[in-house]
Structures are given as structure tokens and as C-alpha cells.
Amino acid sequence: MNILSVESSCDETAVAIVRNGREILTDCIASQVELHKLYGGVVPEIASRKHIEAIYGLADQALLQSGLTRKGLDAIAVTYAPGLIGAVLVGVNFAKAAAYALDLPLVPVHHIRGHIAANYLAYPELEPPFICLVVSGGHTLIVDVRGYTDFRILGTTRDDAAGECFDKVARVLGMPYPGGAALDRCAKTGDEDKYPLPHTKLSGNPLDMSFSGLKTAALNLIHMHEQKGESIDVPSLCASFSKAVSEMLVPRTMQALKESGYKKLAIAGGVAANSRIRADFKDACEKLGAALYTPPLSLCGDNGAMIGSQGYYEFLAGTRAGQDLNAFATRSIEQPYE
Ligand code: KG4
Ligand code: ZN
């Protein structure tokens, strides 16, 4: 079954064709990052406009690269939530038009479910149940993936998403948006113990996380050095910050894994590309004798193929949308489409 899948929830326009949920025939992406860099973050109106400009050409390109004709497609899948509402709407409207014109089923896909499904593309043998940590620019969730379309949130951030904090600290250090990857690279030559950062203690759910205190502590440290006219050791601050974020994410995720009784852990989302976080999970899973699934960097960030993979499993579960499909800025991963 060949699914043409569309993703436009933030600043990447993406169209892919995925076969049977596991095989990428083509994965086309038009990134707007260079444009948003000018403003230090995503400007929603510009994002929507650029999606409109890119989406038709990308779909043609995807078909051409796959070697299929329109007749070779079996369904259209699209991100319908969560994301920047104007941006998501562009993909939703394109997908509705394509499904109508080609008389194909339309499958709505939750963006975060898609991030998790990126692991199915990278690991053909991976099947639920497993635990997945989703860490992106807008979301930080520990999820019990009970089935392909059955999710329970075990822990979440109480404030900022991990990616947001990476980007903010990177920005103050003068790195261009989105700074997470640059901060990660810079951290490699730093001393991770040079700037000890606080560990936020939370009451309530022990699997919940918090990043705003950590972000503020890092920003205060930078400003304090500036005010005193002292230079800060940037690589060491990056290393210390990455370590602190990892120490928030890894122990809680491992606790969730132990409590679940599963022996499989996946990570997903843009921040799952972070080298420090990947290394710490590798060590922790080896100690526990659990399998670790880390998608390649190309599948960690937003892409169309992950929507095509999840779209396949949503299709098998009977999820369908009509021409009244709407976009949602926020929506829980747990909530089914209907
Ligand atoms: O999943 P994604 O592409 O978009 C959202 O759905 O949010 O994630 C983007 C986020 C950005 O905050 C970016 O800075 C961060 O992922 N990121 C990283 C790394 N690569 C991307 N953060 C830390 N280390 C990295 N290597
Ligand atoms: Zn995303």
C-alpha cells in the first residue's frame, strides 16, 4: 500500500511516499529554516505562506522520484495536529484536495504519533509495545506505546520543551536559530563539570520534567559573566547544559521503562539527535539489558515519511477523515481522531 503523506506543522514543508508503513519510496523536504533565522524563530504567517508556495511542487517531485503515477497511490495521510494552526491548515487543505481529486481515502495523523513512527522506518523489526521519549522543539513526553494507535502519556514537561531551551540558550550564546544542533556540536570540546546547573525537584508525578529553571540558570550565568566583563567558556557551558538536560530526561525515561516491564526503548523528535542524550541512553539501556531504538538524524526532525508510516497504521485501524477535516493547534497524542 503506497501512502502519499504531507507534513506542514511548523517550518518544514514535507511530502513523502511510504510503502506499507515501513519503506520510504521518497521523502521530499523544503526547509524554511534559513528564512526564519532572520527573525531568531519561526514567524507563523511566513511559515504558512511558504508552505503554500512549496507544497504543490513538492508533491509533484515526490511522485516523480518514486517512479509512481497518481494511480499508484492508495491513500493520502496528513498531519492535522498539533502545530502552528495556519501552517497545519495548508497541509490539511492540500491533502483534502488531493484525496478528493484522486478519490483516495484521507488519513489524519497526529504529528507526535508520526515522530514515534519514524522508528518503524529505521527499524523494520520494531513493534509495540515499547516506551518512547519524544523530545522536540515543542514537546517533551514519555509515552507508553501500547499499540500502533494506542498511546498513554506517562510523563511530560511542566513548562518548556527541551528543544525550546536548547534553542534559547544557543540564541543567547549567539548561535543562529534553531541552535540545538550547533550547541550540541560546540559541547563536544567542553568540560561538562565546569558550570554545575541546578536539578529542579518536582512534586507529584515522578516522571514529569521541568526545563525552565535550568534554562534560566544557564541564561543568568551567561548574563552574569557579561556584566562582570568576564568571558564565558562557551563549549563548557554547552557541555554542562547538555548534561543537565540529559540528566532530566534519561533517569525518568529509564524509570518508566523499568516500571513498564518492556525491554524496548525508542527516542524520537529533533532533540533525539543530541549526541549527549543518545550516548547516555545507550549506556543506560546496556546496563538494563534493554534494546534502544534511535532513528537516524534525518528522521529525528520533522519529515513527511514519519507521517506516511503512522498513516499506514492509522489506516489499518480504520481512521478516516472526510472533507470536513480540520486542523488543531493543540491535541493530546492519546486522543483518537474521532
Ligand atoms: O522535531 P523537530 O524537528 O520539530 C518540532 O516538532 O519541534 O525538533 C526541532 C528541535 C529544535 O528545538 C532543535 O534545536 C532541536 O530539535 N535539535 C536539537 C538537536 N538537533 C535538533 N537539540 C539538541 N541537540 C541536537 N543535536
Ligand atoms: Zn516535530
Side-chain angles (χ1 to χ4, degrees), residues 9 111-112 115 136 301-302 306:
S9 66
H111 180 78
I112 304 299
H115 270 301
S136 71
D302 290 347
M306 68 186 202

Side-chain angles (χ1 to χ4, degrees), residues 222-245:
I222 298 166
H223 291 145
M224 235 167 53
H225 276 73
E226 272 171 11
Q227 279 162 6
K228 288 188 193 160
E230 294 169 2
S231 64
I232 198 152
D233 174 355
V234 175
S236 295
L237 181 72
C238 293
S240 305
F241 184 73
S242 304
K243 178 187 179 197
V245 172

